[in-house]
Every structure is written in structure tokens, then in C-alpha cells.
Amino acid sequence: MPVMISPIQTDTPPSKVIVCALLLLATWVYIFGLGGQYVPSNGDEMVYVHIARTTAQTGHWLPLASELENTRNTKPPMLFWQAMVAGDWGQNWTMAALRTPSLIYILLTAGAIAWVVRLVTRNTASAMLAACVYLAFLSTFRYGRPYLTSAPETFWLSLPLFGLLIARLQTPRGSNILNVQAPTGTALWLWHALCGLALGIGLAYKSFALIAPAAAAWWLALMLTAWAPGWRSAFGISLRVAFSVLLALGVFGLWFVLDPDPQAVWQEFVVAENAAKFSDSRGYWAEALSLSGSSLWSQLLSFAVNAGLLACVVIGAAVFGLPKLYHLWRQPEKPAYLLILLAWVGVWLLVFMLPSQRSARYVIPAMPAIAILLGLYWQRIPRVWFFPTLLLCAGALVFLARIAWVGYSLDLYSTIEVAAALLCASAGMVGVLLGLWRSRQTRLCALACTLLVYATFNLTVAPMDGTIGSYPAGTIGPQEPGKTPMRIAAPNAFNSQFERNRFVLEGNHRFVPYETEARAIGRLAPGASLPKPEQALQNLLRDFDAVIWIQSSPSETQALCLPDCKVLGTRWQLKSRYLSGEINRDNLWNPQEWLFRREWLLTRTNAP
């Protein structure tokens, strides 16, 4: 099957200066506030921070350690080793240090996307635009900076496909037919060995199960763009990909060889963490055909969900492109890059429709292909599909501006801080109006406004990482050598959320989690009720050296235990988990009623 690599001629190439400015904005969005408490993330980030910290404290790479019950071998060790090295084995244990490797991976992936698009289009502006699109995806913003992230496996599992794209596109300028001499012999096997090592590192970050979509997508892309199609070529490709797969699984299998307790790895990771995803109490087909978030129908929208504010743009690209696939397939010469990208996207989507548990997050490693496709066909996607992005951005900007203003009215934000957030939101609103008014600017304005929403979010939460959201230095004096660590009861609204306190309260203390109202209600036995907050606080003060207590309502302006307790320190925080009905239509415009909360560090009045 002949393949073609003719460059795409964009209808109206975007301005290089404007796209460069957007790329700089996107990079700033990811760097600013990297170590902040409110970086959008997966709720399990602190679980894996805890495992990495406790493992580092042992002074050994393996076995993994944890103080949490049944939470130790839940991810392969590469994820934790990354944090241990970045955090200098606990000597530089800051969120910025732990998240920096994820940021590097994301920027490398964005760079690879730009490289591919530049080779296809011969247009630098289009290449930078594709990188901006990838950084504008909600899945990238949410999972691209946190410590627990999809960035490492996305990069490593994508390398073989990036390599294939670049190899197929490296032809003499002006050549249409793929005519570069195919690698043979030792060079070909060496390339597959390197790809196998890359896949293995990706598996060592997440799971051996990812070899299925990663290898299948790579194999199909190789088959569709074979140098010399035929059964001999198919056999050779299959043999070499099988070699790469075995090498990748061998890299992952080193975990079982190096870990002193391989039986625990098998039970906790292979059986409990992976095999469980193929079981469902409702029944496989009942769940698959339901209207729940784990159904086949919801998985079909996974790429759009991951795109976030650009969801309708992804849907519009699909509506625009899918009808053309039939005509593409009938062409005697097919674009090699397009076949590779379609194999990449299609295989990842298909594979993750099979397990009982489905999630849009599972196909994040295929989002680079979506970004490349959008970058290539950005100007051809009908303008109407960009309008929802502009309207969603307008709503998000107004809401974020309201939060910043309320923070200012509560004397939490300085004039400069609220002005920065409002100025960024205003710039976004100007972009929205310009995009709705000027048809030639709609597409770029949609991208710019998405990035400005992220920038406004960063500026809105940034003050809460400053003095107002931190305990003053010396809140708890330095621990005396040889003295038992202070036992502090810490609220735990989600798995291992108490671990966050290590980044806001200095000292080597022992944080013991207690369940907050939202989490405790879910665990109550039928007919049981929670103790009153005053009684719960008194019980905690009796049992622990100190208690971290979060304001339960706006009317609670001082600790409930006063005057029978002592306040060691106070800070403000943004509440992140809610009971049903806490946020409703009546109070949505008043975030002071449900978002901003005081937090007190309390101890008994007679405590030493």
C-alpha cells in the first residue's frame, strides 16, 4: 500500500508572533505555582507522595513502604523512585521538587508534537499551535503538573510512535512518495530494542497492562506504513514488535526480581490493582450498556472529555474528518502520518472500551495524537465548533473573577493580587468578544481564552499559597533531639490527604488522620449519626498532642473548643470536597459560604 507524505497547506497559516506568544503563555501557566497547594490534580496524589516519602525514609529503593493499610504496591516503583530522587531522599521534600519531573515530561511531549507537525506542514507557526493545543487540554493541565500524573507514561509509551512519525517524514524536501532507504539488519533490531526499552520504562511508571494498547497501536502503525507491504513484511514487523514487547515486559518484570517480597507485589498490584478492573458487580454488559460514567457510550467521548474546554473542537474535528476516511482509504497513495495517527487514536480507544472499569483518563497517552491532528487541521474545522469553547471560557472567567473579588472582600487577597486575577480575566473576556465578532480570529481566540482561564485560575488561588494560607514560622517549636514526635490529628477528606500538612507545617511530626464530615458520613452504619463537632473536637484534643481543625461553617469564626483550648496557629484554605447540596443555585455566586475556610492548629490549654 503506497504511502504519501505531501505537506498540508493550511488555508490561513496562523501568525507566528501570536502563536509564539500563546506558547510562552502556556509555558508560564504550567510553571507558575508549581508547588502550590491547589494545583489541579488527581485526589490520589498525596497517597503516592506518602508512599514515596515513607520509602525514602527506609533508605532503600525496595520494598515500597507505607503507613496506610493495603496501600503499598499500588503503582510500579519508577513513579516513587522519581519522587525520591527529585526530593533528594527527603532532603528537598517540596511539592515543586516532586512535580518538576512531570513538567519536564509534559514539555518534552509538547516539543515532540511540534516537531512532527513541523515536518508535516513545513510551517513553524502550525507546529507551535499544536503544542499549545496539547497544553490547553484539561487532561494535560490537570495531570501534567502533579506528582501523580500521566506525563511520564505518556512520554515513554509515545516514543515509538513519535519515532515512527519522524522516520516516515524524514524525506528530501519536495518528495511526495516515501522513498528513504528502509533500515535493515542490526540497525533495525537496535531501533526495536530501544523502543522496547522506552515501552518498558513507561510500563514501570504505570502498569504492565498498558503494553496492550501501546504495542498494538505501534504494530498497526508499522503495518499500515510498511516500506514493502506483503506477508513477509507483516511477519517481520510482528516478530520485531514481539521482541520489543518481551523486552518491555522484561524491564517491568525486574520489579519482581528486585523486590524482596514479590508475592506481595503479585497480590497487591497484579491481582488487586489490575485484575479487579475486569470485574463488575453489576455485570459486564449491564455496566457497558448503561448510561453511567463507565459505559461504552461515555468512553466514546473520552477524547473530548480530556480536551476540557476544547471538547467541542475535538467533536467538530471528528464530525469533519470521519466522513473523509472512506475516501482516504480508497486513495492509491495515503498520507503515512495520518495512518499512524489514526492507528494511535483508534487502538487506544478500542482497547480501553474492553475493561469493566472505563475512564477518560485511560486514553490520555493518545492525547498527543489528538493534538497533532488538531494542529494539522485547525483551520479546516468549522468555526461554529469553537463557539462553545468561547462561551465556556466566558463563564469560567466570570466565576474565577468573582472568587478573587470575594477573597479580596474577606481581606485575604491584596490589591495587587486581586488586580492581577481581574486583569487576566478581563483579557480573557476581550478574547471571547473578539472571537465571537471576528471570524478570522475565532480559532486562535478560543485557544488563547482557554489558556487565559488556566492563567486566571493560577492567579486566583495563588494568594492562598502565601502568608494567608500558611502557618507562621515557629508555630510549633523545633523538636528536641531524641524526643517522641508530636502526634497531630489531621483531617482526612480523601485518601492520605493528611499528607498535605507536611508541606504547610514545619517539623518532623506524626500526622494521624481523622475522617472529616463528608468522608465519615459515607462510612456510617445504618441508623448511626456523627457526634456533634464540639464533642468530636474535644475527643481529638484528649487523644492527641495537637489537632488541625477546619471551620465547618462561615458562622464559626473561632475554634469551637475555646476557651478550653489553645490556638497555636491559624491559616485559610480552599475547601475541595463537599457534601451533596452544599453548593447549589442559591449560593453559587457566594463562594464565601462554601469555598473559603479557616483552619486552626489547636492543643489543650494544659499541654506542655
Side-chain angles (χ1 to χ4, degrees):
M1 178 178 59
V3 290
M4 180 181 63
I5 60 161
S6 56
I8 287 181
Q9 300 298 327
T10 55
D11 298 330
T12 308
S15 167
K16 187 181 296 186
V17 173
I18 294 177
V19 178
C20 184
L22 289 181
L23 188 57
L24 291 175
L25 172 63
T27 304
W28 175 84
V29 161
Y30 278 75
I31 294 175
F32 183 82
L34 185 63
Q37 304 172 61
Y38 304 104
V39 167
S41 67
N42 185 302
D44 283 335
E45 182 181 28
M46 288 299 120
V47 175
Y48 298 102
V49 168
H50 173 84
I51 296 173
R53 178 183 61 80
T54 51
T55 303
Q57 286 178 342
T58 67
H60 301 284
W61 297 99
L62 288 171
L64 301 176
S66 175
E67 298 172 358
L68 304 173
E69 185 179 358
N70 299 322
T71 306
R72 185 165 62 102
N73 294 307
T74 56
K75 286 288 185 293
M78 189 68 77
L79 181 70
F80 308 108
W81 293 348
Q82 172 184 297
M84 290 158 61
V85 172
D88 193 17
W89 290 77
Q91 300 305 307
N92 184 30
W93 207 252
T94 64
M95 288 309 304
L98 298 183
R99 289 168 174 164
T100 295
S102 299
L103 176 61
I104 293 172
Y105 275 124
I106 280 295
L107 295 180
L108 287 174
T109 303
I113 290 169
W115 188 0
V116 169
V117 174
R118 177 68 179 82
L119 288 173
V120 175
T121 63
R122 312 285 197 246
N123 186 292
T124 303
S126 295
M128 291 190 294
L129 184 139
C132 286
V133 169
Y134 181 66
L135 296 175
F137 287 156
L138 179 61
S139 61
T140 313
F141 183 64
R142 182 177 178 184
Y143 301 109
R145 293 192 293 168
Y147 161 55
L148 174 63
T149 177
S150 297
E153 68 264 20
T154 296
F155 174 78
W156 290 107
L157 297 179
S158 299
L159 270 187
L161 287 160
F162 278 132
L164 181 61
L165 280 163
I166 293 169
R168 295 296 195 253
L169 290 166
Q170 291 285 13
T171 64
R173 178 180 288 273
S175 175
N176 286 335
I177 304 300
L178 196 62
N179 56 9
V180 175
Q181 181 65 35
T184 59
T186 304
L188 186 57
W189 284 96
L190 177 60
W191 185 63
H192 279 267
L194 293 175
C195 289
L197 290 174
L199 292 174
I201 295 173
L203 303 185
Y205 268 106
K206 195 64 172 281
S207 172
F208 66 93
L210 293 183
I211 194 61
W218 186 36
W219 174 85
L220 182 58
L222 285 166
M223 292 289 290
L224 291 175
T225 61
W227 301 95
W231 71 268
R232 290 180 183 273
S233 176
F235 177 77
I237 289 172
S238 300
L239 187 63
R240 290 188 293 272
V241 170
F243 164 70
S244 300
V245 168
L246 291 176
L247 186 58
L249 292 174
V251 172
F252 179 86
L254 289 174
W255 185 12
F256 292 87
V257 176
L258 300 175
D259 198 294
D261 190 4
Q263 184 63 30
V265 174
W266 175 266
Q267 290 296 330
E268 297 172 15
F269 182 75
V270 177
V271 176
E273 184 74 10
N274 285 269
K277 288 183 170 57
F278 286 89
S279 61
D280 197 304
S281 58
R282 294 181 58 184
Y284 181 86
W285 290 110
E287 181 67 30
L289 301 178
S290 69
L291 298 178
S292 69
S294 188
S295 67
L296 292 173
W297 326 117
S298 63
Q299 193 69 10
L300 287 172
L301 294 173
S302 55
F303 293 122
V305 171
N306 285 327
L309 293 170
L310 294 174
C312 286
V313 177
V314 172
I315 295 173
V319 171
F320 166 77
L322 287 176
K324 301 181 184 300
L325 290 182
Y326 174 75
H327 300 288
L328 171 69
W329 196 253
R330 297 189 63 183
Q331 292 177 7
E333 295 178 350
K334 302 172 178 61
Y337 62 85
L338 190 55
L339 296 176
I340 295 170
L341 294 171
L342 292 176
W344 189 348
V345 170
V347 169
W348 275 87
L349 181 62
L350 178 62
V351 168
F352 282 104
M353 293 182 73
L354 299 179
S356 297
Q357 297 181 28
R358 302 172 186 86
S359 170
R361 288 189 291 116
Y362 296 161
V363 300
I364 286 177
M367 292 306 290
I370 299 295
I372 294 173
L373 288 168
L374 291 181
L376 293 175
Y377 297 98
W378 186 258
Q379 298 297 127
R380 303 187 187 183
I381 301 171
R383 178 174 176 250
V384 67
W385 293 102
F386 292 83
F387 287 160
T389 294
L390 292 170
L391 297 177
L392 288 171
C393 286
L397 290 166
V398 169
F399 192 62
L400 289 170
R402 172 62 180 172
I403 291 174
W405 182 257
V406 169
Y408 177 69
S409 67
L410 294 173
D411 293 327
L412 304 180
Y413 294 13
S414 68
T415 302
I416 294 178
E417 289 169 337
V418 70
L422 294 179
L423 183 63
C424 191
S426 299
M429 290 302 296
V430 170
V432 169
L433 295 176
L434 181 62
L436 294 173
W437 177 45
R438 296 285 299 271
S439 60
R440 293 186 59 183
Q441 306 300 329
T442 298
R443 294 169 179 82
L444 276 182
C445 284
L447 181 58
C449 291
T450 299
L451 294 173
L452 285 170
V453 167
Y454 297 159
T456 305
F457 174 87
N458 286 347
L459 293 170
T460 299
V461 302
M464 302 304 293
D465 287 317
T467 304
I468 199 70
S470 305
Y471 287 111
T475 297
I476 299 180
Q479 182 180 324
E480 297 178 11
K483 187 177 181 180
T484 303
M486 192 174 189
R487 295 175 70 249
I488 302 177
N492 198 43
F494 194 71
N495 296 336
S496 199
Q497 289 303 291
F498 65 91
E499 190 75 19
R500 291 187 181 277
N501 295 285
R502 297 189 180 277
F503 300 100
V504 296
L505 192 60
E506 62 182 7
N508 184 27
H509 313 294
R510 182 185 175 191
F511 292 96
V512 182
Y514 70 89
E515 294 182 338
T516 58
E517 184 180 18
R519 188 175 175 90
I521 286 177
R523 298 176 183 267
L524 281 178
S529 60
L530 292 175
K532 293 183 178 181
E534 297 87 343
Q535 184 60 49
L537 178 54
Q538 290 295 339
N539 293 341
L540 291 170
L541 288 169
R542 181 190 63 214
D543 297 335
F544 295 94
D545 299 319
V547 177
I548 296 174
W549 186 260
I550 299 175
Q551 177 185 24
S552 57
S553 67
S555 60
E556 187 182 328
T557 57
Q558 63 178 11
L560 296 173
C561 56
L562 290 174
D564 300 324
C565 63
K566 180 167 59 176
V567 178
L568 299 178
T570 305
R571 75 182 187 104
W572 283 82
Q573 64 161 243
L574 301 177
K575 188 174 180 180
S576 60
R577 300 187 70 82
Y578 299 91
L579 293 171
S580 177
E582 277 191 277
I583 303 177
N584 51 59
R585 184 178 59 184
D586 295 332
N587 67 5
L588 184 63
W589 192 243
N590 300 304
Q592 68 272 21
E593 298 181 9
W594 47 266
L595 180 62
F596 296 96
R597 287 289 185 268
R598 291 181 179 88
E599 179 183 287
W600 295 283
L601 179 63
L602 308 169
T603 188
R604 301 183 298 274
T605 52
N606 58 351

